[in-house]
Amino acid sequence: DDTTIEAFTARADYAKYFDGMTNFEKSKVIEALIRLEKLPEANELVFKMLEKSQYPRLNVFRYHLNRLASKVNNYKINSIYANFHASF
């Protein structure tokens, strides 16, 4: 549930468990980080997935991009889009 995910992301060492998670679990962690206003951490995990040609669930990826659009400059958004688009 959401409370468990948020408690998990509050741990300092959550990122080391990220690779062993399913895509659904990774997406839930990213979503929780965004909700907790931890956008830099969410960015790091999204990029980690994209580097391995993995993608968060579409609704989470969209949520992430929308939050980026409201928080940071277009350079990061274009970088993510280029990385995502190049794989298709």
Side-chain angles (χ1 to χ4, degrees), residues 10-24:
R11 293 177 50 144
D13 63 346
Y14 71 89
K16 75 178 182 181
Y17 299 103
F18 193 72
D19 287 334
M21 295 179 171
T22 66
N23 191 53
F24 180 80

Side-chain angles (χ1 to χ4, degrees), residues 30-31 33-35 37-48 50 56 59-84:
I30 291 166
E31 184 178 15
L33 287 169
I34 296 167
R35 255 195 259 125
E37 299 293 328
K38 295 183 177 186
L39 198 54
E41 292 89 339
N43 289 340
E44 181 181 328
L45 297 180
V46 168
F47 275 115
K48 193 173 186 177
L50 293 175
N59 63 324
V60 173
F61 195 55
R62 223 180 277 134
Y63 180 47
H64 176 253
L65 290 176
N66 286 335
R67 288 297 242 180
L68 273 180
S70 69
K71 298 284 184 185
V72 298
N73 62 32
N74 285 335
Y75 175 75
K76 283 194 179 204
I77 294 170
N78 290 336
S79 170
I80 289 173
Y81 177 76
N83 204 347
F84 180 72

